[in-house]
C-alpha cells in the first residue's frame, strides 16, 4: 500500500495527537476510547493509531501483526468523532476504517478478522453456522415469513444465532405480536447486513451483501424494516441508499416506544427495578437516537432509573463493535471495556443493566458474570424488560 | 538474569510492557518539531510498587528512564535522549482524598487535569484547581515537573506554588514524602518543614512524582469572560496592572494573532470574572471597566469587546491545524509583564521571517509578578520545510528570550543549554551536586537539566 492510494492521504497528518478524543463529553475519564481503556499505551489511542497508520502508509514502518491488531482494535464507537475539536473530526473513524480496507486489499489482516469475513462470505454470518439454524430463535413463536406485511423484522446474525441474543429477538417478536403489528421475518433467507464487514474494511463484501439484501427486500416488496440491532439499523439507513436501497428503517426501541405511547403494549410493573441504560454506539453516536430506549424504560411503572456517569454522547462502548464481539481484541482483562461498563452499572446501583443491542447484550452479560456481579445485576434488552 | 523486557513484563504484566516497534515508534515522537528519539522499552505501571520495581531495575542495570504524563509539552521533554525505558504514568490516576474544608485533594500524579476538573465539578462544585490551558490529557505530575501555570495563575501563581505535599520515587526506587504528610499529619501543608525543593521543575531528572496534594480554591457559581481591546501594545502592561490591582480576576490573558484578521495587530485582554451572584459580577464589571480601565475608554484608546461570554475549556490545539497542517509548537518564557510590547514586536518579526502568521499570548502570573509569554509557530506535519521553519523560529525565539533577559519556560534541550550557559555558577554547582547525589547512575531523564 502506498499513501497516494489512501483516501485520506491529505488529511491523516492533521491529527495533532492531542488526546481530546480519549475523553467522554463530561471529561470524567481518560478511557473513553475502548482500546485505549484496555491497553493504556499511546499506540492504542486514536491519535496513536492514526500516526501509526500514516507511518505505515508512507513507508516509515513496516506492516506487522501488532500493527494490524492495533488498527483492528478500533471498535468504531465514534467517541473520537464526538470529541476531536478539529474540523476533520467527522472523518477520524473513516481514516481508521480506510486503513483496515488497505490491509484487506493487501491481504494483511489478523487471523480472527479473516475468519469473520470468510464466514460472512461463505455462510452469510460471522459464526460460520448453517443458514437453516437462523430459524432456531423463532421456535414456538408461530411467526410468519415476510410476504408483504407492513414491516419486515430483520433480526440480524447475533439475534438469530447467539443463544443469549436470541432472547431479545424472541421478546421483540412477542411484543410485536401482542401489539398486533403486521410483520414478517426472513428466517433462513436472512443474511448478514454488512455493517461489521464495512467497519472491518471489507468494502467489496459490504457491497455484495447490500446488493443481495436490497434485491431480496425489493423482490419481496419490503418498504419498512424493524431491526433488532442498531448495527443493522445503521447500515440499512445510512449505507444502503448508496447502493439504491431506500427503505424506512426503524430500530426496535423506536417501535416499542411508539407502541407504548399508543397503548398497544403495556409495560409490566417492576417496583424493585433500578434500571440503568447502556447506549449502543450505532444507535447513539452514529445515529443520535438517545431518547427512544429511555422512553421505553420510563414507561415501566414502579421502576427507578439512574444514568451511569458516562451516558448518551459520552457513553463508553461495550467493546463489541466492528466485529470485536467475535474477534475479541479487547477481552481478557479487568480493563476490558465491557467489564468497566459492568462496574459502572454497579456504581449506579442498578439491578438491571438495560441494553438495546444484541452485541451489547452478550458482551455485557459476559462481563457482569466475570465481574462476579450476576447476583446483583441482570443484563436485559429493553424488549426483555417489557416481557418480564 | 533475564532480559530487561522480561523483567518489565514480570513487574507490570504482558499488556503494559512493550518492546514492539509500533509502541516504540509511537513514544519516539511528540507533538512538536522534535526529531524522533526511540526508546527501547515502554512500560505503564499501575501502582507505586510497580513503579518502584521498574526504577530499581533501571538503576541496577543503569538503563535510562523517562517519566511520561500526557506528553503534551511539545518541546520533546519526554523523548528519550539516550534510549531506555519510557514510563507512561497515566494508569496511576486515582483520586485518593478530597478534603473539602481544608481545600485540598490528594491524587496520583498520572491523573489528567481533565479528570480532576470533571470530578470536582460533579462532586465538589464549590472547589476548583488550577487547570493549565493544555489539552485535558495533561497530567498533574508532568505539569509540576515543568512549573506549569493554569487558570488560577493570576490570583495564586504557578501551579507549583499550589502544592500541599508530594510523594516521589527516587532514582534508587526508594520513596520520599514532603510536607506535612512526611510527619504523618495529613496532606494539608508543604510548610513549615525545611525546604527540599528538588523535584518541581526538574523534568523528572531527579525523581518521579507519584502523589500530590493539590491546593483547591473557591469555585464561584458564575464565570464570565470579559474582553477588552487596545491597539497600542505599549498599553498592555498598564491595563494588566490596573486590573490586577483589583485582585478580582480569576485569570488574565493578553493575546494577539494575525489570524483571524480581527485580531491582527490588536491586543485582546481576556478578563475572567467570577461571582456567586449577578450583583457580585456586576460589581466586578463596574470596578474593572468604569473605574480601573475608564481612562482608556475615555481617551478612545481601549474598548470593551464583549461582556458576559461563557468561559469554556480552551481548545488551543485548534491552532495546530492552521492551513490544515496539524502541528504547532511554542516557546514560553517567564518575563516581567512590562516585556509584553517588545516580546510581541520581536515575535511577530520572527514569525514573518518564517512565513508563519504570528500568535502571541501573555498570561499574568500572580499580581503581575510575572507573565508567561508564548510565541506559537504552526507547521504542516506533512511538509518538512515548514517544520524546519517552525524549528528555526523556535530557536530564534529562545535566543530572543535570552537577549531580553527573560527566562525560558519548559525549554527544549536547545533552550536548556542556553539557560545553563548563563546560570549563576553557585546554582549550577548545586544543581550538579544534587543530581549526582540523587541519581549517581544518571538514569533519570538524562540530557535534561544536565550540567556538564
Ligand atoms: C495546546 C497546548 C496548550 C498548553 N497550555 C499550557 C498552559 O496553559 N499551561 C501550562 O502549564 N502548560 C501548557 N501546555 C504545556 C503542557 O501541555 C502542560 O504543561 C502539561 O501539563 C504537561 O504535562 P504532561 O503530563 O503532558 O507532561 P509530559 O509532557 O508528559 O512531561 C513533562 C515533563 O515532565 C516529566 N514528567 C512527567 N510526569 C512526571 C512525573 N510524574 N514526575 C516527574 N517528572 C515527570 C517528563 O519526563 C517531561 O520531562 C500546553 C500545551 C499545549 C499542547
Ligand atoms: S483525533 Fe483529533 S482529538 Fe484525537 S488526537 Fe487526533 S487531533 Fe487530537
Ligand atoms: S472509533 Fe472508538 S475505538 Fe475507534 S479510535 Fe475512535 S474512540 Fe477509539
Amino acid at each position: 500500500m502506498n499513501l497516494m492510494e489512501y483516501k485520506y492521504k491529505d488529511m491523516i497528518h492533521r491529527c495533532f495527537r492531542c488526546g481530546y478524543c480519549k475523553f467522554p463529553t463530561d471529561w470524567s475519564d481518560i478511557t473513553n476510547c475502548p482500546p485505549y481503556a484496555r491497553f493504556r499505551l499511546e499506540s492504542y489511542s486514536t491519535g496513536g493509531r492514526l500516526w501509526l497508520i500514516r507511518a505505515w502508509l508512507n513507508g516509515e514502518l513496516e506492516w506487522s501483526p501488532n500493527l494490524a491488531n492495533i488498527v483492528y482494535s478500533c471498535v468504531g464507537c465514534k467517541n473520537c468523532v464526538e470529541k476531536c475539536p478539529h474540523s476533520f473530526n467527522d472523518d477520524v473513524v473513516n481514516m481508521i476504517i480506510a486503513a483496515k480496507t488497505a490491509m484487506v486489499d493487501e491481504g494483511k489482516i489478523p487471523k480472527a478478522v479473516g475468519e469473520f469475513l470468510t464466514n460472512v462470505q461463505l455462510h452469510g454470518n460471522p459464526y460460520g453456522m448453517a443458514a437453516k439454524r437462523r430459524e432456531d430463535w423463532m421456535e414456538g413463536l408461530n411467526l410468519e415469513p415476510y410476504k408483504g406485511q407492513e414491516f419486515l423484522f430483520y433480526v440480524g446474525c447475533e439475534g438469530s444465532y447467539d443463544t443469549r441474543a436470541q432472547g431479545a429477538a424472541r421478546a421483540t417478536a412477542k411484543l410485536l405480536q401482542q401489539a398486533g403489528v403486521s410483520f414478517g421475518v426472513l428466517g433462513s433467507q436472512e443474511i448478514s447486513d454488512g455493517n461489521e464487514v464495512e467497519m472491518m474494511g471489507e468494502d467489496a463484501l459490504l457491497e455484495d451483501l447490500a446488493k443481495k439484501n436490497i434485491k431480496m427486500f425489493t423482490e419481496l416488496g419490503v418498504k419498512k424494516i424493524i431491526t433488532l440491532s442498531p448495527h443493522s439499523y445503521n447500515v440499512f439507513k445510512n449505507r444502503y441508499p448508496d447502493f439504491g436501497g431506500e427503505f424506512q428503517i426503524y430500530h426496535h426501541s423506536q417501535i416499542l416506544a411508539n407502541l407504548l405511547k399508543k397503548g398497544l403494549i403495556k409495560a409490566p410493573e417492576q417496583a424493585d427495578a433500578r434500571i440503568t441504560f447502556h447506549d449502543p454506539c450505532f444507535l447513539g453516536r452514529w445515529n443520535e437516537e438517545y431518547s427512544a430506549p429511555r422512553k421505553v424504560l420510563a414507561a415501566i411503572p414502579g421502576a427507578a432509573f439512574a444514568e451511569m456517569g458516562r451516558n448518551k454522547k459520552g457513553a463508553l462502548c461495550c467493546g463489541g463493535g466492528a466485529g470485536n464481539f467475535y474477534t475479541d481484541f479487547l477481552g481478557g482483562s479487568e480493563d476490558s471495556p465491557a467489564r468497566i461498563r459492568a462496574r459502572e452499572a454497579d456504581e449506579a446501583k442498578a439491578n438491571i443493566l438495560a441494553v438495546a443491542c444484541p452485541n451489547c447484550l452478550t458482551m455485557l452479560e459476559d462481563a457482569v458474570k466475570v465481574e462476579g456481579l450476576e447476583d446483583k445485576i441482570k443484563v436485559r434488552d429493553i424488549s426483555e424488560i417489557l416481557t418480564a | 538474569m533475564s532480559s530487561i523486557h522480561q523483567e518489565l513484563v514480570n513487574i507490570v504484566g504482558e499488556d503494559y510492557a512493550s518492546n514492539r516497534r509500533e509502541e516504540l515508534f509511537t513514544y519516539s515522537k511528540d507533538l512538536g518539531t522534535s526529531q524522533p528519539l526511540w526508546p527501547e522499552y515502554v512500560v505503564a505501571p499501575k501502582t507505586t510498587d510497580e513503579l518502584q520495581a521498574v526504577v530499581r531495575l533501571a538503576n541496577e542495570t543503569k538503563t535510562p528512564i523517562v517519566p511520561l504524563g500526557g506528553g503534551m509539552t511539545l518541546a520533546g521533554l519526554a523523548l528519550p535522549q539516550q534510549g531506555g525505558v519510557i514510563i507512561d504514568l497515566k494508569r496511576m490516576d486515582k483520586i485518593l482524598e478530597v478534603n473539602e474544608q481544608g481545600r485540598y485533594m490528594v491524587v496520583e500524579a498520572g491523573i489528567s487535569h481533565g479528570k480532576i476538573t470533571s470530578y470536582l465539578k460533579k462532586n465538589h462544585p464549590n472547589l476548583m484547581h488550577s487547570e493549565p490551558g493544555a489539552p485535558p490529557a495533561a497530567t498533574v505530575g508532568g505539569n509540576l515537573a515543568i512549573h506549569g501555570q493554569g487558570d488560577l495563575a493570576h490570583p495564586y501563581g504557578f501551579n507549583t506554588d499550589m502544592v500541599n505535599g508530594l510523594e516521589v520515587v527516587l532514582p534508587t526506587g526508594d520513596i520520599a514524602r514532603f510536607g506535612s504528610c512526611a510527619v504523618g499529619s495529613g496532606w494539608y501543608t508543604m510548610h513549615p518543614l525545611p525546604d527540599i525543593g528538588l523535584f518541581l521543575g526538574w523534568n523528572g531528572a531527579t525523581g518521579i512524582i507519584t502523589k500530590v496534594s493539590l491546593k483547591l480554591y473557591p469555585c464561584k457559581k458564575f464565570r464570565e469572560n470579559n474582553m477588552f481591546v487596545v491597539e497600542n501594545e505599549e498599553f498592555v502592561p498598564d491595563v494588566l496592572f490596573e486590573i490586577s490591582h483589583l485582585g478580582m480576576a480569576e485569570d488574565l490573558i493578553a493575546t494577539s494573532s494575525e489570524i483571524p484578521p480581527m485580531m491582527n495587530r490588536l491586543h485582546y485582554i481576556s478578563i475572567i470574572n467570577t461571582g456567586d451572584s449577578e450583583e457580585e459580577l456586576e460589581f466586578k464589571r463596574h470596578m474593572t471597566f468604569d473605574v480601573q480601565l475608564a481612562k482608556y475608554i475615555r481617551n478612545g484608546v481601549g474598548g470593551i469587546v464583549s461582556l458576559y461570554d461563557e468561559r469554556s475549556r480552551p481548545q488551543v490545539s485548534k491552532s495546530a491545524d492552521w492551513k490544515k497542517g496539524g502541528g504547532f509548537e511554542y516557546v514560553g518564557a517567564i518575563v516581567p509583564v512590562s516585556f509584553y510590547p517588545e516580546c510581541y514586536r520581536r515575535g511577530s518579526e520572527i514569525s514573518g521571517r518564517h512565513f508563519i502568521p504570528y500568535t502571541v499570548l501573555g498570561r499574568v502570573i500572580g499580581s503581575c509578578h510575572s507573565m508567561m509569554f508564548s510565541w506559537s509557530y504552526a507547521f504542516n506535519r506533512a511538509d518538512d520545510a515548514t517544520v524546519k521553519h517552525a524549528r528555526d523560529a523556535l530557536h530564534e525565539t529562545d535566543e530572543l528570550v535570552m537577549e531580553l533577559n527573560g527566562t525560558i519556560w519548559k525549554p527544549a534541550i536547545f533552550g536548556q543549554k542556553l539557560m545553563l550557559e548563563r546560570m549563576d555558577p553557585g546554582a549550577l554547582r548545586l544543581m550538579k551536586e544534587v543530581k549526582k547525589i540523587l541519581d549517581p547512575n544518571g538514569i533519570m531523564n538524562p540530557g535534561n537539566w544536565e550540567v556538564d
Side-chain angles (χ1 to χ4, degrees):
Chain A
M1 181 70 189
N2 81 51
L3 185 59
M4 297 317 289
E5 292 165 23
Y6 177 70
K7 185 171 171 199
Y8 298 97
K9 67 176 190 306
D10 296 327
M11 188 185 282
I12 193 160
H13 67 276
R14 289 169 66 188
C15 167
F16 189 42
R17 227 173 93 188
C18 47
Y20 283 85
C21 52
K22 289 174 174 166
F23 288 85
T25 28
D26 68 355
W27 311 100
S28 58
D29 207 337
I30 199 167
T31 58
N32 230 44
C33 167
Y36 182 69
R38 166 67 179 83
F39 292 103
R40 295 301 284 271
L41 297 176
E42 286 299 319
S43 38
Y44 282 87
S45 69
T46 311
R49 197 172 290 107
L50 291 175
W51 282 35
L52 282 166
I53 291 169
R54 178 165 175 251
W56 173 53
L57 294 170
N58 68 18
E60 224 178 312
L61 270 187
E62 298 265 306
W63 180 91
S64 71
N66 188 39
L67 177 71
N69 286 350
I70 290 169
V71 171
Y72 272 93
S73 69
C74 164
V75 292
C77 74
K78 254 193 169 180
N79 185 66
C80 45
V81 172
E82 190 61 45
K83 291 306 291 182
C84 174
H86 294 289
S87 59
F88 57 84
N89 68 323
D90 275 346
D91 280 319
V92 174
V93 71
N94 296 337
M95 289 194 255
I96 298 169
I97 297 170
K100 293 180 181 176
T101 304
M103 289 190 179
V104 168
D105 290 349
E106 302 252 304
K108 291 177 165 171
I109 49 175
K111 190 162 163 275
V113 174
E115 280 168 16
F116 186 109
L117 296 174
T118 308
N119 283 339
V120 172
Q121 174 89 63
L122 294 179
H123 306 284
N125 69 78
Y127 310 104
M129 288 171 73
K132 189 84 198 97
R133 301 282 307 275
R134 264 203 189 260
E135 296 184 352
D136 287 1
W137 72 275
M138 305 192 238
E139 206 183 311
L141 282 182
N142 205 13
L143 295 179
E144 292 178 358
Y146 186 83
K147 48 177 186 336
Q149 295 93 328
E150 184 180 4
F151 292 97
L152 165 68
F153 177 35
Y154 177 90
V155 184
C157 299
E158 301 86 52
S160 301
Y161 291 108
D162 184 280
T163 46
R164 179 63 191 88
Q166 284 171 349
R170 292 172 65 80
T172 304
K174 278 187 202 160
L175 289 164
L176 296 176
Q177 283 175 325
Q178 265 176 38
V181 174
S182 155
F183 75 101
V185 293
L186 294 172
S188 59
Q189 302 285 91
E190 202 183 82
I191 54 166
S192 164
D193 52 58
N195 190 69
E196 305 318 284
V197 159
E198 179 172 43
M199 294 299 137
M200 293 165 118
E202 210 344 341
D203 291 355
L205 187 49
L206 164 71
E207 187 171 343
D208 183 46
L209 292 166
K211 285 184 174 162
K212 280 183 184 146
N213 274 322
I214 291 166
K215 184 162 179 283
M216 176 165 46
F217 297 168
T218 311
E219 282 173 4
L220 289 168
V222 173
K223 303 240 168 351
K224 299 181 185 175
I225 303 175
I226 301 170
T227 72
L228 179 69
S229 171
H231 298 242
S232 322
Y233 175 75
N234 179 62
V235 73
F236 289 166
K237 186 163 176 258
N238 300 319
R239 293 293 279 127
Y240 276 34
D242 298 339
F243 304 105
E246 300 274 0
F247 309 97
Q248 290 175 50
I249 314 296
Y250 304 89
H251 181 247
H252 79 319
S253 62
Q254 296 167 330
I255 297 289
L256 296 178
N258 199 30
L259 296 177
L260 283 163
K261 192 173 157 201
K262 288 186 176 155
L264 293 172
I265 50 174
K266 216 168 147 328
E269 175 156 340
Q270 300 192 36
D272 297 333
R274 188 174 158 88
I275 306 176
T276 193
F277 179 66
H278 167 79
D279 288 274
C281 305
F282 283 94
L283 194 61
R285 279 185 290 259
W286 281 82
N287 287 292
E288 295 184 1
E289 175 60 273
Y290 299 105
S291 70
R294 286 178 173 77
K295 280 185 194 155
V296 171
L297 296 172
I300 299 166
F305 183 77
E307 291 283 4
M308 286 184 273
R310 300 189 245 190
N311 57 62
K312 299 179 187 159
K313 283 182 180 173
L316 170 68
C317 164
C318 71
N324 263 277
F325 66 92
Y326 177 93
T327 52
D328 199 25
F329 288 108
L330 306 184
S333 157
E334 63 176 9
D335 290 328
S336 297
R339 287 182 61 182
I340 299 177
R341 214 53 183 147
R343 295 196 292 272
E344 285 179 1
D346 191 35
E347 278 161 30
K349 301 195 170 52
N351 54 17
I352 295 181
L353 170 50
V355 298
C357 168
N359 268 356
C360 302
L361 181 61
T362 55
M363 297 292 294
L364 293 172
E365 176 128 324
D366 287 349
V368 163
K369 280 186 199 145
V370 182
E371 285 290 314
L373 292 167
E374 57 191 315
D375 292 339
K376 281 171 90 178
I377 303 175
K378 305 287 170 224
V379 184
R380 295 283 181 268
D381 188 79
I382 52 170
S383 58
E384 295 175 316
I385 301 173
L386 292 183
T387 50
Chain B
M1 191 178 121
S2 59
S3 71
I4 290 182
H5 176 244
Q6 188 53 52
E7 296 277 337
L8 292 173
V9 169
N10 293 346
I11 296 167
V12 297
E14 199 156 7
D15 288 338
Y16 303 111
S18 175
N19 58 0
R20 292 178 301 254
R21 210 166 157 72
E22 293 69 30
E23 273 77 48
L24 304 185
F25 167 87
T26 306
Y27 286 88
S28 74
K29 301 197 179 207
D30 86 348
L31 288 54
T33 61
S34 300
Q35 302 284 4
L37 290 165
W38 288 66
E40 288 144 282
Y41 315 95
V42 175
V43 65
K46 171 93 179 152
T47 62
T48 310
D49 285 350
E50 287 180 3
L51 175 64
Q52 285 180 277
V54 172
V55 175
R56 281 201 186 102
L57 171 70
N59 201 30
E60 277 162 24
T61 55
K62 298 195 172 44
T63 309
I65 47 181
V66 179
L68 175 89
M72 295 287 160
T73 66
L74 305 173
L77 301 180
L79 292 180
Q81 302 292 325
Q82 298 173 17
V85 189
I86 296 235
I87 308 180
D88 187 328
L89 294 161
K90 289 191 287 299
R91 288 179 76 217
M92 297 178 63
D93 68 347
K94 286 207 249 335
I95 294 170
L96 302 169
E97 182 191 347
V98 176
N99 188 317
E100 182 142 351
Q101 286 217 318
R103 289 209 176 104
Y104 70 85
M105 75 192 294
V106 185
V107 294
E108 289 185 329
I111 193 171
S112 69
H113 278 280
K115 178 169 172 173
I116 293 181
T117 299
S118 175
Y119 182 85
L120 290 175
K121 194 170 163 197
K122 228 177 257 176
N123 300 292
H124 305 275
N126 54 348
L127 294 177
M128 66 187 289
H129 85 302
S130 184
E131 176 169 346
T139 67
V140 165
N143 190 254
L144 294 178
I146 60 166
H147 279 306
Q149 332 80 37
D151 47 18
L152 293 175
H154 173 233
Y156 306 114
F158 284 89
N159 283 355
T160 36
D161 299 331
M162 304 178 196
V163 172
N164 256 349
L166 274 188
E167 179 190 273
V168 179
V169 169
L170 301 172
T172 51
D174 295 335
I175 285 201
R177 285 186 171 184
F178 306 96
S180 51
C181 65
V183 291
S185 308
W187 292 77
Y188 57 87
T189 179
M190 199 65 178
H191 306 311
L193 300 168
D195 174 26
I196 324 180
L198 299 177
F199 303 96
L200 304 177
W202 270 91
N203 296 3
T206 49
I208 300 178
I209 303 165
T210 43
K211 291 194 184 78
V212 181
S213 172
L214 285 178
K215 289 185 190 173
L216 302 175
Y217 298 90
C219 181
K220 299 280 189 170
K221 279 201 193 105
F222 310 108
R223 184 164 275 96
E224 65 180 28
N225 186 2
N226 297 320
M227 199 74 93
F228 194 70
V229 68
V230 293
E231 188 175 5
N232 186 342
E233 67 269 19
E234 294 292 342
F235 295 149
V236 173
D238 182 61
V239 168
L240 296 174
F241 183 78
E242 290 291 350
I243 303 168
S244 196
H245 175 82
L246 295 173
M248 287 177 172
E250 191 175 270
D251 201 3
L252 202 44
I253 295 175
T255 42
S256 181
S257 60
E258 204 164 325
I259 295 172
M262 63 156 195
M263 299 209 47
N264 193 15
R265 304 289 155 198
L266 294 177
H267 303 274
Y268 284 78
I269 291 122
S270 157
I271 307 154
I272 306 296
N273 278 339
T274 62
D276 282 326
S277 63
E278 177 51 34
E279 289 77 30
E280 190 177 348
L281 279 170
E282 182 50 40
F283 174 70
K284 289 183 177 177
R285 270 179 232 130
H286 163 70
M287 291 302 293
T288 307
F289 297 109
D290 303 339
V291 181
Q292 296 303 112
L293 300 181
K295 60 184 175 188
Y296 289 98
I297 299 169
R298 235 184 358 253
N299 296 338
V301 292
I304 301 170
V305 181
S306 60
L307 295 174
Y308 324 117
D309 284 354
E310 211 181 299
R311 173 163 224 201
S312 51
R313 178 184 294 284
Q315 301 249 323
V316 195
S317 67
K318 273 186 178 168
S319 52
D321 203 32
W322 172 67
K323 276 201 173 173
K324 303 184 175 173
F328 91 106
E329 186 175 333
Y330 67 93
V331 167
I334 307 303
V335 294
V337 176
S338 60
F339 283 23
Y340 182 95
E342 183 81 0
C343 288
Y344 151 71
R345 284 192 293 266
R346 300 284 296 277
S348 62
E349 282 166 25
I350 295 176
S351 291
R353 279 203 293 283
H354 293 281
F355 317 107
I356 304 168
Y358 82 87
T359 304
V360 297
L361 175 151
R363 174 179 246 164
V364 172
I365 302 175
S367 296
C368 280
H369 295 124
S370 63
M371 111 184 307
M372 192 291 293
F373 192 96
S374 71
W375 299 260
S376 295
Y377 302 107
F379 58 85
N380 184 334
R381 210 175 284 286
D383 178 351
D384 289 344
T386 65
V387 178
K388 183 171 180 326
H389 267 301
R391 196 181 293 128
D392 291 347
L394 291 160
H395 287 178
E396 283 172 41
T397 309
D398 278 348
E399 274 155 358
L400 170 68
V401 178
M402 295 289 87
E403 182 196 325
L404 297 178
N405 277 328
T407 312
I408 310 172
W409 168 56
K410 67 172 179 67
I413 300 292
F414 178 86
Q416 287 178 32
K417 293 218 164 81
L418 294 181
M419 302 261 282
L420 290 170
E421 271 166 30
R422 42 168 64 208
M423 181 95 69
D424 161 61
L428 210 54
R429 228 178 3 258
L430 200 56
M431 276 176 78
K432 193 170 176 169
E433 288 297 314
V434 163
K435 175 79 180 166
K436 208 162 78 192
I437 293 166
L438 286 177
D439 182 19
N441 292 323
I443 57 163
M444 302 296 296
N445 206 358
N448 277 272
W449 292 122
E450 207 160 83
V451 183
D452 293 332

